[in-house]
Amino acid sequence: MKTVHDFNFENKRALIRVDFNVPLNDGFEVTDKTRIESAKPTIIKVLEDGGSCVLMSHLGRPKGVQEEFSLKHIEHAVEDVIGVEIIVASDCIGKEIEAKANDLKPGQILLLENLRFHKEETNGDRDFAEKLSRLGDIYINDAFGTAHRAHASTTIVADFFTDSKCFGMLLAKEIESIDKVMKSGEKPVLAVLGGAKVSSKITIIENILDKVDHLIIGGGMTYTFVKAQGGKVGDSICEDDKMELALDILKQAKEKNVQIHLPVDVLAANDFSNDANTQIIDVDKIPNGWQGLDAGPKTKALFDEVVNKCKTILWNGPLGVFEMENFATGTIELGNSIAEATKNGAFSLVGGGDSVAAVKQFGFEDKVSYVSTGGGAMLESLEGKTLPGIAAIME
Ligand code: AMP
């Protein structure tokens, strides 16, 4: 796996695919600079070597050229984070842009206009990718968030850089973290899968059964497993058509020597509302009119014990409806357990969608080993898929 550390960028122009798809407020100000900060180490490495950077990204989902999605809105945020004045281009391909790129001196940065102003970007157009490739000597992909897309700037452009292409530091870290869980994790390895539905996690569960020693299944998925085994789940979220699949997963786990841990008790509510009446009840005895919305106390203690005996931990999906304060403690306590295990030497990776939001909301970000920056890309990695943006650099 080639990274920026395998290159010296002195007098070279690096064409870097970054993920600057940042949130903007109504005044077009950047409200969260995390993604820019994440790309900083790679950009600084190029500049400190004595090279220059051509940065390319998408922003939002424009239909053609739409001013509100212009990357010029993020100019000051990028300058703030990187600490260097940048040049903002009016497009991402064409003669004028090529001339601007050619004129770059060591230490300078050119930020291209939104790649998705051209439909050829998402179409993975070869001709468009070739035009992008003219803007740099070395291609760096540092955008994990789009690595599962075979777009022109994330995948196809790499074809035009035979040996001179590599992963940026952020993408390399993402790959290493996933490998640590999926390939080389210190045992016992644990995956905690929560979230709403079995149907959206099924490929992950099936893939992960070959990699882990323990699997905690929580959140809304619980009830399909419980009902399939004859339990009463009341009005809890449940996918009846996935019950057979749930039984098959339990069987597969047994054959593969994976210990599955399901909640034993839940905090049930008489309405899907923060103000609902609640009761703690065994997971398989939920009366009609009630629904399980969070883990119960025995479950929290059980999961804490499992988490703290594992050396490698992957967490995807909340254990309850954490968006409502009264049903957030299962997710918060799980976060606490993972933080404690991490402090005691375990490697912990949090990734994919809502668990990242929960980790940020509850302040666990610095207490776990790594929080992934890619939602869809992370989920596809956990499903065992080879991401096109990663394969294009490996080739
Ligand atoms: P996912 O995107 O599949 O990871 O699902 C995340 C969502 O699952 C969050 O919005 C949670 O509110 C929801 N969720 C977690 N536990 C439950 C539950 N017991 N009942 C309904 N929704 C849940």
Side-chain angles (χ1 to χ4, degrees), residues 325-339:
E325 200 186 342
N326 289 340
F327 306 105
T329 62
T331 301
I332 294 174
E333 289 193 26
L334 175 75
N336 276 330
S337 303
I338 295 177

Side-chain angles (χ1 to χ4, degrees), residues 167-184:
F167 295 110
M169 289 188 215
L170 171 69
L171 188 39
K173 184 106 205 242
E174 295 276 358
I175 297 169
E176 278 162 19
S177 302
I178 293 166
D179 281 356
K180 254 189 195 163
V181 175
M182 306 293 270
K183 291 186 184 154
S184 57

Side-chain angles (χ1 to χ4, degrees), residues 48-67:
E48 283 185 352
D49 275 4
S52 57
C53 297
V54 177
L55 306 180
M56 54 179 176
S57 177
H58 74 285
L59 177 64
R61 293 182 172 184
K63 291 189 174 56
V65 179
Q66 280 183 278
E67 179 72 358

Side-chain angles (χ1 to χ4, degrees), residues 194-197 200-201 219-220 223 237 272 291-294 316-323 352 354-355:
K197 289 181 168 180
S200 62
K201 301 276 161 96
Y223 307 99
I237 185 172
F272 190 81
Q291 50 187 305
L293 293 185
D294 198 9
N316 169 276
L319 287 194
V321 185
F322 75 99
E323 298 92 336
D354 276 330
S355 32

Side-chain angles (χ1 to χ4, degrees), residues 92-105:
C92 59
I93 50 163
K95 286 276 167 278
E96 194 193 315
I97 309 303
E98 280 173 41
K100 274 210 159 79
N102 276 327
D103 285 348
L104 285 177
K105 315 245 171 340

Side-chain angles (χ1 to χ4, degrees), residues 16 18 20 39-47 53 55 82 109:
I16 315 179
V18 288
F20 284 174
K40 182 175 177 179
T42 294
I43 295 167
I44 296 294
K45 150 77 177 151
V46 172
L47 298 184
C53 297
L55 306 180
I82 310 296
I109 298 175

Side-chain angles (χ1 to χ4, degrees), residues 21-98:
N21 184 27
V22 290
L24 302 176
N25 63 16
D26 291 344
F28 298 106
E29 291 157 334
V30 178
T31 54
D32 182 352
K33 294 180 189 158
T34 311
R35 288 185 166 164
I36 303 172
E37 277 153 9
S38 301
K40 182 175 177 179
T42 294
I43 295 167
I44 296 294
K45 150 77 177 151
V46 172
L47 298 184
E48 283 185 352
D49 275 4
S52 57
C53 297
V54 177
L55 306 180
M56 54 179 176
S57 177
H58 74 285
L59 177 64
R61 293 182 172 184
K63 291 189 174 56
V65 179
Q66 280 183 278
E67 179 72 358
E68 62 262 44
F69 295 107
S70 171
L71 278 166
K72 73 174 186 230
H73 299 308
I74 75 164
E75 175 180 0
H76 297 306
V78 176
E79 289 178 339
D80 251 15
V81 171
I82 310 296
V84 174
E85 260 188 47
I86 63 168
I87 304 159
V88 180
S90 58
D91 201 345
C92 59
I93 50 163
K95 286 276 167 278
E96 194 193 315
I97 309 303
E98 280 173 41

